[in-house]
Amino acid sequence: MSATLIDGKARAAALRETVAAAVGRLKKDAGLEPGLAVVLVGEDPASKVYVANKARLTRECGMRSIEHILPEETSQADLIALVETLNADPGVDGILVQMPLPAHIDSDAVVLAIDPEKDVDGLHPVNAGLIVLGKPGLIPCTPQGCVILAKEALAEKTGGDLSGLDALVVGRSILVGKPVALLLQNENCTVTMAHSRTRDLETACRKADILVAAVGRPKMIRGDWIKPGACVIDVGINRIDAPERGEGKTRLVGDVDFEAASEIAGQITPVPGGVGPMTIACLLANAVRAACRRRGLAEPDLD
Ligand code: NDP
């Protein structure tokens, strides 16, 4: 492997420490203990683990964790009523409704009900619009993590300035691809977006100084598509069979063929241990930002 491994796990731990230190100062100087509410509807096992991790890490950073675990059959009206109660609660600074929601609930309507100032997932149209305008809002967590990792991985080469670099974002979801592309554009990259209708993905990949893959297809981006020395940020999380580990075993892989790409890229995130851990760390940072902004307090530097 010739690429430098981008250690998202270590970077996320460092960001959580920065968040914890900022929370400590807010408690001491302003008597403020930020509160982060997480709402889970239903029994999805992966979501349950994710929500439990969020709650634990929120507490470890010194914040108050408020958890609402609702039954699968919860109505949309009841869920929105809970969101409105959390909007009005002065002790709640951030609200996250765990996705996906059960099929009978319109997730757009629920996101729309969240106070944009408490929308720590950054999914409300007001926050999406602020990214388009390049103005401070609450930035979605996974895209925020991607940009932090790319900037730091390239810091030696660029001094932290991504201006003029060619970036390719593969995937155009509201959750990941679109906001990543806008954030990179705000960093003055020349951004191309690819998706399922893109005609020649290989050629687009070969031009990219920064390649962000957010597709959800195991190892779709081949190693020999990567521009030599490029920075590769692999958002994909795909579970595949791993018979080499024993019968019925599985393992996680990204959207990029890591083994081959790491021989050609300059820097690359592993899966797992790359972008994934950054998501919760950025969520915690957003909760602190929201707490400060809502009270007109100076915002700590949380990158
Ligand atoms: P979506 O399914 O919402 O979007 C996938 C995107 O990939 C779409 O824009 C789609 O294009 C595009 N796509 C599909 N097939 C191709 C193809 N053959 N060539 C080019 N583009 C293609 O997924 P998400 O954005 O929500 O997630 C993407 C991946 O990231 C998943 O593996 C998910 O698990 C992971 N993820 C990881 C997170 C983390 O914390 N690390 C957080 C969130 C997601 P089109 O629009 O044309 O359909």
Side-chain angles (χ1 to χ4, degrees), residues 50 142 170-173 175-177 194-197 201 214-217 220 235-238 255 275-276 279:
Y50 195 49
T142 302
V170 191
R172 57 176 167 181
S173 71
L175 191 62
V176 192
H195 44 76
S196 65
R197 310 292 174 90
L201 184 59
V215 180
R217 289 179 170 238
M220 188 192 82
V235 185
I237 302 176
N238 309 289
D255 292 337
V275 175
T279 299

Side-chain angles (χ1 to χ4, degrees), residues 176-262:
V176 192
K178 277 187 183 143
V180 170
L182 287 164
L183 291 174
L184 289 171
Q185 209 166 55
N186 292 345
E187 295 287 339
N188 299 314
C189 291
T190 303
V191 181
T192 304
M193 289 188 76
H195 44 76
S196 65
R197 310 292 174 90
T198 295
R199 285 198 184 142
D200 187 356
L201 184 59
E202 181 178 342
T203 301
C205 287
R206 283 190 204 281
K207 290 184 194 149
D209 302 307
I210 300 173
L211 192 155
V212 180
V215 180
R217 289 179 170 238
K219 301 187 184 193
M220 188 192 82
I221 312 274
R222 289 177 34 181
D224 59 358
W225 295 3
I226 309 286
K227 179 175 176 176
C231 174
V232 177
I233 306 291
D234 192 351
V235 185
I237 302 176
N238 309 289
R239 189 165 286 285
I240 61 166
D241 292 337
E244 72 282 3
R245 292 186 176 180
E247 206 187 311
K249 297 279 182 198
T250 59
R251 69 185 174 105
L252 293 179
V253 296
D255 292 337
V256 178
D257 180 352
F258 179 84
E259 282 74 25
S262 59

Side-chain angles (χ1 to χ4, degrees), residues 27-245:
K27 276 187 186 166
K28 189 163 153 276
D29 301 342
L32 167 62
E33 184 183 24
L36 174 58
V38 181
V39 182
L40 171 66
V41 184
E43 295 290 325
D44 179 64
S47 293
K48 274 173 132 174
V49 171
Y50 195 49
V51 164
N53 278 339
K54 280 176 190 164
R56 177 176 56 81
L57 293 171
T58 301
R59 286 191 290 270
E60 275 180 26
C61 283
M63 289 190 272
R64 211 159 60 86
S65 171
I66 305 113
E67 292 130 58
H68 289 272
I69 315 289
L70 307 178
E72 179 86 20
E73 59 276 12
T74 302
S75 71
Q76 182 170 315
D78 284 350
L79 178 56
I80 288 180
L82 171 61
V83 167
E84 283 167 354
T85 305
L86 296 170
N87 284 343
D89 184 339
V92 171
D93 295 290
I95 302 169
L96 181 142
V97 179
Q98 183 66 39
M99 302 290 169
L101 289 166
H104 65 277
I105 297 178
D106 173 3
S107 47
D108 287 348
V110 175
V111 169
L112 213 52
I114 299 172
D115 178 347
E117 289 192 348
K118 297 189 178 188
D119 167 40
V120 280
D121 238 356
L123 295 178
H124 191 284
V126 166
N127 285 313
L130 287 168
I131 300 188
V132 175
L133 296 173
K135 299 221 159 125
L138 288 166
I139 296 172
C141 306
T142 302
Q144 198 183 132
C146 290
V147 175
I148 292 174
L149 292 181
K151 272 178 99 167
E152 290 190 1
L154 289 168
E156 228 172 80
K157 271 193 198 167
T158 64
D161 181 2
L162 304 183
S163 294
L165 294 182
D166 285 317
L168 173 70
V169 180
V170 191
R172 57 176 167 181
S173 71
I174 298 292
L175 191 62
V176 192
K178 277 187 183 143
V180 170
L182 287 164
L183 291 174
L184 289 171
Q185 209 166 55
N186 292 345
E187 295 287 339
N188 299 314
C189 291
T190 303
V191 181
T192 304
M193 289 188 76
H195 44 76
S196 65
R197 310 292 174 90
T198 295
R199 285 198 184 142
D200 187 356
L201 184 59
E202 181 178 342
T203 301
C205 287
R206 283 190 204 281
K207 290 184 194 149
D209 302 307
I210 300 173
L211 192 155
V212 180
V215 180
R217 289 179 170 238
K219 301 187 184 193
M220 188 192 82
I221 312 274
R222 289 177 34 181
D224 59 358
W225 295 3
I226 309 286
K227 179 175 176 176
C231 174
V232 177
I233 306 291
D234 192 351
V235 185
I237 302 176
N238 309 289
R239 189 165 286 285
I240 61 166
D241 292 337
E244 72 282 3
R245 292 186 176 180

